Amino acid sequence: MPEQYDIDSAESIARREAGLAVLETIDGEAGRAVIDSLGEISPALAHHVAAWGFGDVYARPGLDPRSRQLVTLGVLSALGGAEPQLRVHINAALNVGITRDEVVEALLHVAPYAGFPRAINATLVGRDVFAERDDS
């Protein structure tokens, strides 16, 4: 049986903290809240989302935060069934300077590649995010 990955080693903690710092720059406290809620049930999943997803992948120099968020919106929309994650990343997109019009255009761009139902569902999530931000 393979040895279990130690998420509490000094190296793992450093990677997780680096990932949380990246996540905070794009999603503020909401990102940490997601990681914390995951950690309640699956500390390993929370660790890997922070350490690998944000510390290793999002922190790479090849794309700026705006570009990464546009890619993320497209992928989550095309996947379908990822509306809670799409909600988080629409907020993150707005946080990194993507305009509402650009979000709507990115979600429209999903239609010819992933179909109208996925584009419609994603756009409805966008509508809800915009309304929530207007209300706060």
Side-chain angles (χ1 to χ4, degrees):
M1 185 165 173
E3 185 177 325
Q4 180 148 352
Y5 181 81
D6 182 8
I7 64 172
D8 293 320
S9 70
E11 179 185 352
S12 291
I13 291 169
R15 286 181 60 236
R16 183 171 55 246
E17 290 302 318
L20 288 170
V22 170
L23 179 57
E24 188 170 318
T25 65
I26 63 170
D27 205 29
E29 288 300 312
R32 184 171 290 265
V34 170
I35 299 299
D36 289 346
S37 69
L38 284 175
E40 292 173 10
I41 185 123
S42 179
L45 180 58
H47 166 79
H48 292 297
V49 169
W52 185 73
F54 290 93
D56 295 345
V57 176
Y58 262 76
R60 292 178 55 82
L63 293 173
D64 61 47
R66 285 182 100 260
S67 298
R68 287 193 188 281
Q69 284 309 123
L70 284 170
V71 169
T72 302
L73 294 183
V75 170
L76 290 174
S77 298
L79 281 171
E83 287 77 12
Q85 293 77 21
L86 183 59
R87 175 181 305 280
V88 169
H89 285 282
I90 290 172
N91 272 301
L94 296 168
N95 291 344
V96 299
I98 296 172
T99 67
R100 290 178 183 205
D101 287 343
E102 289 171 317
V103 168
V104 170
E105 192 66 28
L107 302 179
L108 170 64
H109 196 75
V110 168
Y113 296 96
F116 281 101
R118 299 246 165 101
I120 290 167
N121 290 344
T123 300
L124 294 175
V125 172
R127 176 200 61 195
D128 293 346
V129 169
F130 299 158
E132 290 166 7
R133 288 175 79 106
D134 288 343
D135 290 344
S136 61

